């Protein structure tokens, strides 16, 4: 009964989001309220501790929310300036082969946007670019979602991974684990799992496209097998630097710089004909590989390709300078903090914020600089910032109440009933149910969290602590299990409701959400299977 009650806030959140179609903010707010009631009545916690742990959760989300706001304001500013259309136009002239266009735009460019922005923007941006090049809308939406998987754990400058560490901070201290050392180990393990499984994702995306959107062509694996050498090459062009950057620079830059390096390697290779099939593959409507047409906005006609890319170059360089200790800037940036000690009078319950180290500030400054450089009016800038702020209402509520919920579940052992914490009760039951086979269940919990919430970050917020506790009870590596949670949260982006709805909206597809989700179940299972096999070998 205690296990069921402990699970009930999560069950209610999932039910409200999945079945009742409620936004994640409303669902998680209700779940937090249920957790408060349970803490008062069943776990016999006092009001002061409930309020203090909830406040800790709210304060912990400031870092994440600033990143989200900065990332989206940058993207919206560049869209208004017309630079995104210029970038799309630059891609259109590289190749006529639809298979290669998918790899360059959905896999590599989408990964770059994921590294910089995250939170569903890559697929919602890459899919319309593909439609602008002449792709069927459902095909564009499907492949964009499939490719928006491997980069996600380090998306938005590492936010999902950093969130997992933030959620686990007190647990790490209780288990005598240094948060920084755990973060490094988690980053490396996540990169290894993604690196092995993700290298095959360009091929999987092309395979799905050539099989399900072949038109009147006969069923055949040949078009996908023809592109396999190039697809594998383009996979490595991203995952090799992705792994190396994760190993030596941390979780903020692997997706951003890995994709930039991948583009720098892959695009010239295409132009040189390296591993490119001689026969051009296209859709029925293309007519023997007709030249694609790019779509420009009126303002974009005066912007060059280098200028269009420059905001992202500035971001990448700034993050490199402030993240690599040997350059001497990181210590100065991270040394300035604000915080609260003994939150609401609870001794040793502290919170500190290294606000100058937040990438969101970089995004906002680059957005302002871009607005000035591309001559946006004050009215346009104001409208962009206002609309962005309004769009984040659900994210603010979802993240603050979600983290507050996890903190309550984590610290519900501070009670007068003698019961263990909610998460401990759940972990004990999972240990009994799955035993050592839990390793093969772990990524699907991450997938589930992302599926209903639309975010690897929210999935990690909900389940990272649960996975950590279960790993300890089963004598499994906590690093490995939490890494599988984060990997699963990234994989869940292929089918998550929010992303599918967003992609269908941006591509003008109506009523195809269920079809897209169903098609992407197969890549989801394939990815999870490879991920668990890699984790098993690592264990």
């Amino acid at each position: 009964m205690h296990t069921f009650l402990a699970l009930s806030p999560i069950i209610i959140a999932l039910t409200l989001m999945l079945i009742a179609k409620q936004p994640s903010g409303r669902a998680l707010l209700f779940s937090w309220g249920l957790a408060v009631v349970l803490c008062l009545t069943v776990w016999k916690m006092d009001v002061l501790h409930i309020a203090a742990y909830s406040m800790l959760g709210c304060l912990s989300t400031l870092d994440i929310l600033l990143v989200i706001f900065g990332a989206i304001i940058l993207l919206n500013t560049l869209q208004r300036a017309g630079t995104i259309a210029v970038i799309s136009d630059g891609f259109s002239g590289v190749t006529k082969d639809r298979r290669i266009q998918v790899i360059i735009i959905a896999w590599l460019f989408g990964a770059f946007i994921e590294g910089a922005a995250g939170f569903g923007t890559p697929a919602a941006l890459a899919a319309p670019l593909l439609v602008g090049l002449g792709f069927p809308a459902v095909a564009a939406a499907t492949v964009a979602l499939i490719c928006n998987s491997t980069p996600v754990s380090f998306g938005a400058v590492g936010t999902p991974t950093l969130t997992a560490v933030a959620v686990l901070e007190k647990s790490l201290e209780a288990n005598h684990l240094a948060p920084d050392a755990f973060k490094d180990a988690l980053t490396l393990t996540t990169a290894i799992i993604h690196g092995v499984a993700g290298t095959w994702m360009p091929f999987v995306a092309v395979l799905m496209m050539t099989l399900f959107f072949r038109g009147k062509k006969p069923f055949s694996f040949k078009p996908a097998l023809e592109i396999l050498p190039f697809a594998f090459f383009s996979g490595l062009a991203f995952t090799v630097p992705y792994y190396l950057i994760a190993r030596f620079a941390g979780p903020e830059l692997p997706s951003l710089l890995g994709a930039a390096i991948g583009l720098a390697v892959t695009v010239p290779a295409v132009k040189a004909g390296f591993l490119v099939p001689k026969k051009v593959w296209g859709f029925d409507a293309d007519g023997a590989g007709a030249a694609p047409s790019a779509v420009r906005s009126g303002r974009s006609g005066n912007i060059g390709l280098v200028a269009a890319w420059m905001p992202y170059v500035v971001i990448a360089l700034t993050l490199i300078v402030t993240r690599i200790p040997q350059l001497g800037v990181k210590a100065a940036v991270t040394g300035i903090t604000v915080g609260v000690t003994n939150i609401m009078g609870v001794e040793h319950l502290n919170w500190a914020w290294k606000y100058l180290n937040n990438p969101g500030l970089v995004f906002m400054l680059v957005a302002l600089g871009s607005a000035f450089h591309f001559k946006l009016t004050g009215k346009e800038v104001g409208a962009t910032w206002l609309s962005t702020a309004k769009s984040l209402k659900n994210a603010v509520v979802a993240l603050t109440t979600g983290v507050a919920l996890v903190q309550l579940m984590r610290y519900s052992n501070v009670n007068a009933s003698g019961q263990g914490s909610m998460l401990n009760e759940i972990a004990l039951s999972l240990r009994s149910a799955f035993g050592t086979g839990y390793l093969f269940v772990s990524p699907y919990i991450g997938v589930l969290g992302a599926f209903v919430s639309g975010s690897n970050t929210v999935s990690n917020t909900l389940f990272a602590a649960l996975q950590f506790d279960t790993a300890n009870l089963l004598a499994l590596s906590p690093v490995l299990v939490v890494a599988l949670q984060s990997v699963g949260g990234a994989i869940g982006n292929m089918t998550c409701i929010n992303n599918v709805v967003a992609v269908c909206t941006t591509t003008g597809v109506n009523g195809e959400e269920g079809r897209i989700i169903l098609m992407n179940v197969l890549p989801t299972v394939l990815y999870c299977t490879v991920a668990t096999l890699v984790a098993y070998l690592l264990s």
Side-chain angles (χ1 to χ4, degrees):
M1 178 58 69
H2 277 89
T3 298
F4 173 76
L5 290 174
L7 275 170
S8 60
I10 295 176
I11 293 173
I12 289 297
L14 299 182
T15 301
L16 288 174
M17 287 188 278
L18 183 59
I19 298 176
K21 310 299 182 185
Q22 295 296 309
S24 57
R26 186 177 301 170
L28 289 169
L29 177 62
F30 187 88
S31 297
W32 171 79
L34 176 60
V36 169
V37 172
L38 291 172
C39 286
L40 285 170
T41 58
V42 178
W43 270 262
K44 308 295 183 183
M45 292 179 67
D46 61 73
V47 174
L48 177 63
H49 281 84
I50 291 174
Y53 293 131
S54 297
M55 179 61 68
L56 174 63
C58 293
L59 291 171
S60 299
T61 60
L62 285 177
D63 225 19
I64 304 164
L65 288 171
L66 189 58
V67 171
I68 297 173
F69 179 78
I72 298 177
I73 197 66
L74 174 68
L75 181 64
N76 289 346
T77 299
L78 297 181
Q79 285 179 324
R80 187 177 285 267
T83 61
I84 298 300
V86 175
I87 291 172
S88 172
D89 194 32
F91 283 132
S92 68
V94 175
T95 178
K96 298 177 183 179
D97 195 309
R98 299 306 194 181
R99 298 167 296 184
I100 298 176
Q101 288 176 350
V102 164
I103 292 171
I104 293 176
I105 295 176
W107 171 245
L108 292 170
F109 179 64
F112 185 86
I113 297 299
E114 176 65 42
F119 302 99
T121 56
L125 180 59
L129 292 182
L130 291 172
V131 171
L133 293 175
F135 277 64
V138 177
T142 301
V143 297
L145 288 165
I146 292 172
C147 291
N148 187 32
S149 50
T150 305
V152 173
S153 293
F154 301 128
V157 203
T159 299
T161 299
L162 295 175
T163 298
V165 176
V167 168
L168 293 172
E169 187 171 357
K170 298 298 181 182
S171 300
L172 296 172
E173 292 176 3
N175 285 272
H176 308 292
L177 297 172
D180 285 343
F182 185 88
K183 180 187 72 174
D184 293 341
L186 177 63
T187 299
L188 180 60
T189 306
T190 302
I192 292 172
I193 296 172
H194 269 316
V196 175
T199 300
W200 296 96
M201 292 316 294
F203 173 72
V204 172
V206 171
L207 178 65
M208 294 291 290
M209 180 182 71
T210 56
L211 288 181
F212 289 97
F213 302 97
R214 65 187 186 277
K216 297 180 180 178
K217 301 178 180 70
F219 182 90
S220 174
F221 290 99
K222 185 178 179 181
L225 294 176
E226 288 175 345
I227 202 72
L228 175 57
F230 180 82
F232 188 70
F233 165 75
S234 64
L236 290 174
F238 170 65
T239 57
V240 170
Y242 173 91
Y243 164 77
L244 293 173
I245 294 165
R247 181 181 181 90
F248 295 108
E252 293 95 341
L253 298 172
S255 295
L256 183 68
L257 291 186
I261 294 170
L263 283 168
V265 171
T266 302
V267 173
V270 174
K271 292 182 177 180
F274 180 70
L275 299 178
V276 174
K278 294 181 180 179
K279 184 178 180 181
V280 174
W281 189 91
F283 301 104
D284 287 347
D286 293 339
S293 58
V295 178
R296 285 181 178 272
S297 69
R299 185 190 298 271
S300 66
N302 300 319
I303 301 173
L305 188 59
V306 174
W309 277 100
M310 194 52 62
Y312 293 110
V313 173
V314 172
I315 288 171
L317 292 176
T318 303
L319 293 175
I320 289 170
V321 170
T322 56
R323 262 58 184 178
I324 299 178
Q326 291 78 3
L327 298 178
V329 179
K330 182 177 180 179
V333 170
T334 58
I336 301 174
T337 63
V338 296
V340 181
T341 58
N342 299 330
I343 298 173
M344 302 189 75
V346 176
E347 193 172 354
H348 304 306
L349 189 64
N350 306 322
W351 170 79
W353 186 22
K354 301 174 183 177
Y355 59 94
L356 290 181
N357 195 47
N358 190 290
L361 291 176
V362 179
F363 293 160
M364 287 188 285
L365 290 173
V366 172
L368 287 172
S370 299
F372 176 79
H373 178 76
F374 295 119
K375 296 180 172 57
L376 297 184
T377 65
K379 184 178 180 179
E380 287 177 312
V381 173
T384 301
W385 284 64
L386 181 61
S387 63
T388 301
K390 288 180 178 179
S391 71
L392 290 179
K393 289 188 294 185
N394 182 69
V396 171
V397 177
L399 285 169
T400 52
T401 55
V403 177
L405 168 64
V406 170
Q407 296 295 350
L408 282 181
M409 296 181 73
R410 159 65 59 198
Y411 293 110
S412 50
N413 63 311
V414 182
N415 60 55
S417 68
Q419 287 291 131
S421 70
M422 293 182 183
L423 288 179
N424 188 64
E425 293 287 342
I426 298 169
L428 286 169
S429 296
L430 288 173
R431 181 186 65 176
S432 300
F434 296 106
T436 55
Y438 181 78
L439 200 65
F440 293 87
V441 177
S442 179
Y444 288 98
I445 295 176
V447 169
L448 180 63
F451 173 74
V452 296
S453 69
S455 170
N456 193 176
T457 299
V458 174
S459 180
N460 287 352
T461 298
L462 286 172
F463 296 126
L466 171 64
Q467 302 260 31
F468 182 90
D469 281 2
T470 306
N472 282 328
L473 287 170
L474 292 170
L476 297 170
S477 165
V479 170
L480 195 59
V481 173
V482 176
L484 283 173
Q485 155 62 36
S486 189
V487 169
I491 298 169
N493 275 259
M494 296 187 205
T495 55
C496 78
I497 298 170
N498 289 11
N499 281 4
V500 173
V501 171
V503 170
C504 288
T505 301
T506 57
T507 55
V509 175
N510 295 314
E512 295 286 357
E513 291 85 354
R515 177 187 173 192
I516 292 172
I517 290 174
L518 187 61
M519 281 193 295
N520 284 358
V521 167
L522 177 58
T524 296
V525 173
L526 287 173
Y527 206 136
C528 285
T529 301
V530 176
T532 51
L533 290 174
V534 174
Y536 180 76
L537 292 175
L538 290 175
S539 70

